[in-house]
Amino acid sequence: MKVLLSWLKDYVDITISPKELEEKLFSCGLEVEELKYLGDNMKNVVVGEIKSLEKYEGTHLQICHMDCGKYGDDIVILTGADNVFVGAKVPVAMVGAVLPNGMEIAPRKMQGMMSYGMLCSGEELGIEEGWYPGAGVHGILILDGETPVAADMVDVLGLNDYLYDISVTANRPDCQSVLGIAREVAAITRKELKNPDLSYTEDGTTKDAIKVSVADKDLCPRYLSHYIYDVEYKEAPQWMKRRLLSCGFRPISAIVDITNYVLLEIGQPMHAFDLSTLDDSTILVRRAKDGEEIVTLDEKSYKLTPNNLVICDSNKAVGLAGVMGGLNSEITENTKEILFESAKFLKDNIRKTGRALGIRTDACARFEKGIDEYSVETGMARALHLVEELGVAKISSTKGDETAGASTEKRKITCSVDKVNAVLGITVPEEEMVSILKALQFEVEVKDHTLELLVPRYREDVETYQDIAEEVIREYGYDKVVPTFLDGAMVTNGGLNKLQSKELRTKEILCGMGFYEIQTIAMYSKKELDLINLPADAPERNVIELLNPITENLSIMRTVMAPSMINVIEDNIKKDNSAARFFEIANVYIPKALPLKEMPIEKKMLCMGAFGKGEDFYQLKAVIETMAKAFGLSFEFVKGSVPYLHPGMTADVMLGGKKIGHLGKVRYDVVEKLNIAEGKKADTNIFLAELDYSALSECFKAEIKYQQPSAYLPVSRDLSVLVDMDVECGRIMKEIKAASEEISEVKLFDIYVSDKLGNNKKSMAFNLTLSSKTEEVTDEKAGAVMDKVVERLAKELGAEMRMA
């Protein structure tokens, strides 16, 4: 938000320095990104009068004898311009001057003759036609004949001003205007606020043919219109054009400039329609039809959807609501009748329209943050006042006010002084609190130390006593807040608690096995759930939808981690990373019920992903087992089914008989959907694991103690069994371990399938490690253990021992 100091002074008597004002604005929450003196790049440039002029024979130059008053009454300057004449008053860059383009002026020999300065054009002074008449001419800038000799050009051009570039946060839409900033300046300097003149006179003329209506009041809760006629197409006055140019707006014509001026001054985007271009003199605010097209003022064509709001006449769209007007209704030199528009549009809709169509305008930026209905009314009144003041049109009595029924009354908030101070943690004197709120234009009554407040209509952000506390402290001074403990707080030695230590240990283990930790955004779109083949009735599709998403790609809170991990892996593959291992510990968000009425369940998950040469199902399984072993846990792996994982390479991870996660290879059809080169898809094998870290962390042993290893050497035995094809490896290993406590470790080292084994049979070979802490495991003891194993496998699984 750019605002001139001189413009602020129209509304507040500012007596402090520009720098001090910058600091005060910052202290009340308005960050000044830049404070610029407009005349800073123009030094020692003054007004001179040409006393005599003669041709410099043999050259294209003319010899000027300049009267610059106290700077010299006979200064010789050579110029090649042909639009100068005796008696002309022109800008003279004296010796030692510095121009906006960085040029430094020194005595200079030209064609054998010395020149002591330079006559300047508008371009060399860094100004254009709108700033000063004649500045756009290709030649020397000819000044007004009444301009005093020796006057500083900074003063002549009105550059003796300061420009503030202020960052306005999204929660303060009332400050996105000169008037809004002036209110803050008045409050922090405790000066009276002088409101802009909103007076105007309607002449009684009516035009009954004009019809204005709003079909979608949910997107347009307020729409004001006013008819003016006998429009004179002329330029705005110099003071208005200079203010517009300073703030980045190009002057066009008086009517258009008035709408832009009101945008900056009041913060209300306005539009002027050429009434002769509106079929049936009609304005209708409605949703666009699917595929409807409009050509905007920038001469670009856009195809619209019902998500866009348009301003139409009886046959066609004439404006994109809150974003930009239509080319077919623009103001031209032939315009004689105008319909002014001042409206409030739903900020979410304007933001989505602007982003979807790739349009960014000043009006759009203001509507995105929110326009209050007070500004709608004030903006229209101010525009009509300027029309009358500048004499560019006559103001009729034909006007419209389409509203969704919003109250025009000020909201009332009641809160005790003690309650406000409790929020702040300090004691602000009651008198000071009242003074601050009155300075901020609140109407205040105090009864028994209770504040009864009427909130200004333009402060829609103030709703509760916490907001009142914020208003008080930003004016009272954040530096007065004394650091203090919250109730019940206590001093601790710091450090990590047990759960944090375990999480850090988990990360260290995974990093030690070649994994990189990633952090992804906790949101994605419903398309991500389609990517991983989730069925329509999957519980993971019960998601929390954001009311105001940044983009459509971040519109829901995630319920499963897999899409986030797959997207990271996809991005790495596209960037030609051939292999990588990633992990993330983060929350998923499970709604208790929809629509959302209470906070969702936040469940912490551990997701691991790996791709590239050498990665396979068993590598990832080994990582999970290693992590379990580090925390004294024992997992069981059983055949699982997950929509996005290969049916033949998916396992559920069990702990204590309960499922806590799964792992497997990503299905080929999921990989096929990824946005990677076709040649890479065939070679892309992605393996994922997702574990319920919240449930897992509850099972971590509080402390893992050192155990004395056995003094006796372990014994190794191999076992090959013939089982049915559907018997899972994990089940066999579980039964083997259950057969005897002397079995300390079981490893699968071979799987063999052949028609020779029989119908639907497979052979699986295991290596068993036998150990005892109390005695040596003899061959006889080992044989007895193996007999127990074979017997148990036969009984529980129907397994047969297979001889080599």
Side-chain angles (χ1 to χ4, degrees):
M1 172 69 205
K2 293 182 178 180
V3 56
L4 288 166
L5 179 61
S6 60
W7 206 341
L8 289 174
K9 287 182 176 180
D10 285 354
Y11 305 117
V12 186
D13 182 17
I14 300 173
T15 56
I16 58 178
S17 69
K19 186 64 179 178
E20 188 178 352
L21 179 59
E22 175 189 15
E23 293 169 354
K24 285 186 174 293
L25 286 170
F26 185 82
S27 70
C28 72
L30 295 172
E31 181 184 355
V32 178
E33 295 185 339
E34 184 183 17
L35 173 58
K36 178 183 179 183
Y37 179 59
L38 298 185
D40 196 40
N41 294 327
M42 190 185 300
K43 297 178 181 178
N44 209 20
V45 182
V46 301
V47 177
E49 183 177 354
I50 302 176
K51 304 304 291 183
S52 66
L53 191 64
E54 57 184 285
K55 180 72 175 174
Y56 185 10
E57 294 299 330
T59 72
H60 69 289
L61 302 174
Q62 299 188 77
I63 303 171
C64 303
H65 289 267
M66 304 298 305
D67 178 7
C68 295
K70 62 182 179 179
Y71 300 98
D73 58 3
D74 190 17
I75 302 172
V76 176
I77 298 177
L78 275 66
T79 179
D82 57 6
N83 67 323
V84 293
F85 53 89
V86 173
K89 291 182 178 178
V90 297
V92 180
M94 307 296 292
V95 172
V98 178
L99 298 180
N101 60 9
M103 180 186 296
E104 296 183 10
I105 305 302
R108 180 185 176 191
K109 183 175 286 188
M110 301 175 67
Q111 300 288 340
M113 186 174 183
M114 293 299 298
S115 176
Y116 297 93
M118 186 177 85
L119 308 187
C120 300
S121 67
E123 182 181 4
E124 288 162 338
L125 296 177
I127 61 172
E128 57 181 80
E129 186 69 31
W131 195 274
Y132 195 96
V137 173
H138 182 67
I140 302 303
L141 175 60
I142 307 298
L143 302 173
D144 183 272
E146 300 299 319
T147 310
V149 170
D152 193 325
M153 282 301 298
V154 168
D155 297 327
V156 172
L157 296 176
L159 296 173
N160 51 349
D161 204 350
Y162 289 84
L163 182 69
Y164 292 84
D165 191 352
I166 301 173
S167 176
V168 179
T169 53
N171 67 322
R172 293 300 307 275
D174 61 295
C175 287
Q176 53 186 357
S177 65
V178 176
L179 179 59
I181 302 297
R183 294 187 192 113
E184 295 297 308
V185 173
I188 59 181
T189 59
R190 292 295 196 277
K191 294 292 182 68
E192 180 185 357
L193 176 70
K194 295 173 281 188
N195 284 304
D197 192 344
L198 306 179
S199 63
Y200 61 90
T201 304
E202 298 175 2
D203 64 6
T205 302
T206 60
K207 186 156 186 166
D208 297 335
I210 296 175
K211 299 180 287 292
V212 178
S213 60
V214 178
D216 293 280
K217 290 184 177 178
D218 57 325
L219 301 184
C220 178
R222 190 78 183 274
Y223 192 94
L224 298 185
S225 59
H226 207 118
Y227 168 63
I228 62 176
Y229 65 103
D230 284 356
V231 175
E232 183 180 350
Y233 191 85
K234 65 178 184 179
E235 292 187 8
Q238 207 69 50
W239 60 266
M240 180 178 284
K241 291 195 288 186
R242 285 181 178 176
R243 287 182 171 182
L244 291 174
L245 283 166
S246 296
C247 297
F249 283 75
R250 181 173 59 87
I252 298 174
S253 66
I255 287 292
V256 176
D257 291 352
I258 285 172
T259 62
N260 287 331
Y261 191 84
V262 170
L263 168 72
L264 291 171
E265 186 180 49
I266 309 299
Q268 175 62 46
M270 293 189 62
H271 192 67
F273 296 100
D274 184 336
L275 191 64
S276 68
T277 66
L278 302 180
D279 293 347
D280 301 323
S281 298
T282 296
I283 283 289
L284 171 63
V285 185
R286 61 165 173 80
R287 291 179 183 271
K289 300 172 184 176
D290 196 17
E292 186 173 6
E293 293 188 9
I294 185 173
V295 179
T296 50
L297 289 170
D298 58 0
E299 300 184 4
K300 294 181 180 178
S301 177
Y302 298 95
K303 186 170 288 189
L304 309 178
T305 72
N307 294 326
N308 309 132
L309 190 68
V310 290
I311 314 298
C312 308
D313 59 18
S314 60
N315 294 309
K316 63 185 181 299
V318 294
L320 195 53
V323 180
M324 192 181 294
L327 186 64
N328 52 13
S329 61
E330 72 172 331
I331 305 302
T332 68
E333 63 273 14
N334 299 318
T335 300
K336 296 301 178 185
E337 296 179 292
I338 284 175
L339 192 66
F340 267 145
E341 164 195 282
S342 181
K344 176 179 181 178
F345 300 114
L346 187 68
K347 60 184 179 181
D348 297 352
N349 178 262
I350 301 305
R351 181 184 57 78
K352 289 177 181 178
T353 295
R355 294 197 177 208
L357 299 178
I359 307 176
R360 187 70 180 169
T361 63
D362 289 276
C364 185
R366 281 165 172 78
F367 277 119
E368 283 180 1
K369 291 181 180 177
I371 295 293
D372 56 85
E373 296 200 25
Y374 175 81
S375 296
V376 175
E377 300 163 7
T378 307
M380 177 63 83
R382 183 61 173 163
L384 294 173
H385 170 82
L386 291 170
V387 165
E388 186 172 67
E389 179 183 328
L390 304 185
V392 294
K394 295 178 181 178
I395 303 173
S396 79
S397 298
T398 297
K399 54 191 173 184
D401 186 353
E402 293 292 315
T403 177
S407 174
T408 58
E409 298 295 324
K410 295 180 179 180
R411 287 177 295 108
K412 185 175 182 179
I413 295 178
T414 302
C415 61
S416 69
V417 172
D418 290 342
K419 206 168 188 179
V420 173
N421 282 330
V423 173
L424 301 177
I426 60 174
T427 299
V428 179
E430 183 178 296
E431 298 77 12
E432 182 67 16
M433 197 177 292
V434 171
S435 175
I436 288 171
L437 292 170
K438 285 184 175 179
L440 289 168
Q441 309 299 308
F442 287 79
E443 294 180 30
V444 187
E445 286 190 20
V446 183
K447 296 180 180 178
D448 297 327
H449 306 293
T450 297
L451 303 173
E452 293 184 357
L453 307 169
L454 290 179
V455 182
R457 290 178 60 207
Y458 51 80
R459 291 303 305 274
E460 294 183 346
D461 58 304
V462 177
E463 298 178 344
T464 65
Y465 71 90
Q466 291 94 337
D467 297 324
I468 298 300
E470 182 181 357
E471 293 300 299
V472 170
I473 195 59
R474 68 187 184 84
E475 297 293 334
Y476 188 64
Y478 291 104
D479 58 320
K480 294 185 177 68
V481 176
V482 180
T484 183
F485 281 117
L486 296 172
D487 292 340
M490 59 185 294
V491 178
T492 68
N493 290 328
L496 303 177
N497 60 32
K498 291 182 179 180
L499 286 178
Q500 291 170 331
S501 297
K502 296 294 185 183
E503 184 173 321
L504 180 60
R505 177 62 180 146
T506 302
K507 293 179 179 181
E508 289 173 344
I509 291 168
L510 291 171
C511 289
M513 289 187 285
F515 281 79
Y516 290 92
E517 183 179 7
I518 63 171
Q519 290 182 334
T520 59
I521 297 176
M523 298 163 281
Y524 44 59
S525 70
K526 291 183 179 180
K527 293 179 182 178
E528 311 300 328
L529 301 180
D530 297 333
L531 168 71
I532 61 172
N533 298 337
L534 280 183
D537 59 350
E540 293 86 356
R541 284 194 180 269
N542 293 323
V543 297
I544 301 168
E545 298 190 38
L546 302 186
L547 294 177
N548 190 20
I550 298 173
T551 71
E552 186 60 33
N553 293 333
L554 300 173
S555 58
I556 63 172
M557 302 299 292
R558 65 182 170 199
T559 55
V560 58
M561 296 282 289
S564 300
M565 181 62 71
I566 290 174
N567 285 336
V568 171
I569 292 175
E570 174 190 18
D571 190 51
N572 274 267
I573 293 172
K574 287 195 293 186
K575 293 177 179 176
D576 292 327
N577 292 329
S578 59
R581 288 181 166 189
F582 301 117
F583 78 91
E584 180 177 16
I585 299 177
N587 287 344
V588 294
Y589 302 85
I590 313 297
K592 297 176 183 177
L594 291 175
L596 197 66
K597 295 182 179 179
E598 55 181 318
M599 296 300 290
I601 298 169
E602 296 186 34
K603 185 162 56 174
K604 188 170 284 189
M605 304 293 291
L606 166 61
C607 187
M608 292 176 277
F611 70 97
K613 188 176 181 180
E615 300 292 352
D616 61 23
F617 175 88
Y618 295 103
Q619 290 274 7
L620 192 54
K621 177 173 175 286
V623 169
I624 296 173
E625 290 174 326
T626 301
M627 184 180 68
K629 190 174 182 179
F631 291 109
L633 303 176
S634 179
F635 290 153
E636 182 183 351
F637 299 88
V638 300
K639 185 177 178 62
S641 176
V642 180
Y644 56 87
L645 297 180
H646 193 290
M649 276 186 275
T650 301
D652 290 337
V653 183
M654 312 294 291
L655 178 62
K658 295 183 179 179
K659 179 182 175 180
I660 64 160
H662 51 259
L663 76 151
K665 179 181 180 180
V666 175
R667 296 174 63 108
Y668 297 118
D669 56 342
V670 174
V671 174
E672 189 64 32
K673 297 176 187 177
L674 300 183
N675 185 25
I676 56 180
E678 289 297 327
K680 293 181 180 180
K681 290 182 180 179
D683 300 326
T684 298
N685 294 315
I686 302 173
F687 299 89
L688 292 185
E690 196 167 358
L691 305 178
D692 183 344
Y693 188 82
S694 295
L696 183 63
S697 61
E698 291 177 1
C699 300
F700 288 159
K701 292 184 178 180
E703 188 175 349
I704 299 176
K705 296 182 178 179
Y706 170 77
Q707 293 183 348
Q708 178 74 29
S710 174
Y712 304 98
L713 291 175
V715 173
S716 178
R717 293 288 187 271
D718 291 342
L719 173 68
S720 180
V721 295
L722 189 67
V723 295
D724 291 339
M725 191 68 74
D726 60 354
V727 177
E728 299 167 358
C729 176
R731 178 76 189 283
I732 299 173
M733 295 174 72
K734 180 180 178 181
E735 296 297 340
I736 291 175
K737 286 184 177 181
S740 174
E741 61 182 15
E742 279 84 7
I743 301 173
S744 60
E745 190 173 6
V746 180
K747 292 182 179 179
L748 172 72
F749 68 85
D750 185 53
I751 300 177
Y752 175 64
V753 178
S754 172
D755 293 339
K756 297 177 182 179
L757 298 177
N759 186 33
N760 201 31
K761 293 287 185 178
K762 63 181 176 182
S763 173
M764 305 185 74
F766 299 89
N767 176 259
L768 283 62
T769 300
L770 286 61
S771 63
S772 173
K773 293 183 179 180
T774 59
E775 61 180 336
E776 182 180 353
V777 180
T778 63
D779 288 344
E780 183 180 353
K781 179 70 173 176
V785 171
M786 295 301 291
D787 288 342
K788 288 182 181 180
V789 171
V790 172
E791 181 181 348
R792 185 176 182 89
L793 291 178
K795 179 181 178 182
E796 299 296 332
L797 303 177
E800 302 175 25
M801 185 172 178
R802 183 167 178 265
M803 306 301 293

